[in-house]
Amino acid sequence: MVRDDRIRTLVDANAADLLGYLSRRVTPREDAADLLGETLLTAWRRRRDLPDEPENARMWLYGVARRVLANHRRGVRRRRALADRLGVEVAGFVATHPDPAEGQEVRDAVAALPEELRELVMLVHWDGFGVGEAADLLELNASTARTRYQRARQLLAEALAPVVS
């Protein structure tokens, strides 16, 4: 219980300074509040490691903040690298796929299907799964999936049939 009181006192005395420390080192600055929260949570979890001497305890708390900030920076770098990789993949996808404006009538017809039919059609035609594989993904009996798929095809054919006047 004494450690709990000491960590509370330490946090009360240093939270504002820690927020300043973090806000000067992170962009956007608004992330500093989240990092402070993470620092305080980490400090609370590790309160058994809290040094007895007040100045050492303060430095320990800043060390926790420094490690939280380092983890944050690594995460930002990983997210940027992932975004770069995805950007290249998206560019390749856009280059090899038709304009989304084409086929809008078909997409509208699929969107109008009941959910249990729509997802099945999308898995088969847009994601390249077989009806059996789609059944597994949707946790359906294979015969149920085949029946639903036939129903979906029938509804799509009716929706996409030219109107005869």
Side-chain angles (χ1 to χ4, degrees), residues 26 61 65 69 72 78 83 100 102 106 130 142 144-145 155:
V26 70
L61 187 58
L69 182 59
H72 171 74
R78 283 191 303 267
E102 295 177 22
V106 173
T144 301
L155 291 172

Side-chain angles (χ1 to χ4, degrees), residues 46-96:
R46 294 189 45 220
R47 66 189 178 276
R48 286 182 173 66
D49 299 336
L50 182 65
D52 292 330
E53 204 275 319
E55 187 57 27
N56 289 343
R58 180 175 176 271
M59 296 309 294
W60 173 84
L61 187 58
Y62 271 84
V64 171
R66 185 180 59 78
R67 286 185 292 282
V68 165
L69 182 59
N71 286 338
H72 171 74
R73 288 176 175 159
R74 279 191 296 276
V76 167
R77 283 192 302 272
R78 283 191 303 267
R79 284 188 296 277
R80 284 184 185 148
L82 176 60
D84 291 345
R85 285 193 311 271
L86 286 175
V88 169
E89 288 184 29
V90 167
F93 178 85
V94 169
T96 60

Side-chain angles (χ1 to χ4, degrees), residues 5-27:
D5 292 339
R6 287 189 51 240
I7 192 79
R8 283 188 194 108
T9 302
L10 181 66
V11 166
D12 288 345
N14 291 284
D17 291 338
L18 275 173
L19 182 60
Y21 167 85
L22 293 165
S23 67
R24 288 186 294 274
R25 287 164 176 80
V26 70
T27 303

Side-chain angles (χ1 to χ4, degrees), residues 142-156:
S143 63
T144 301
R146 283 191 300 275
T147 302
R148 287 184 184 179
Y149 182 68
Q150 286 304 98
R151 177 70 181 139
R153 286 180 51 142
Q154 180 184 10
L155 291 172
L156 287 171

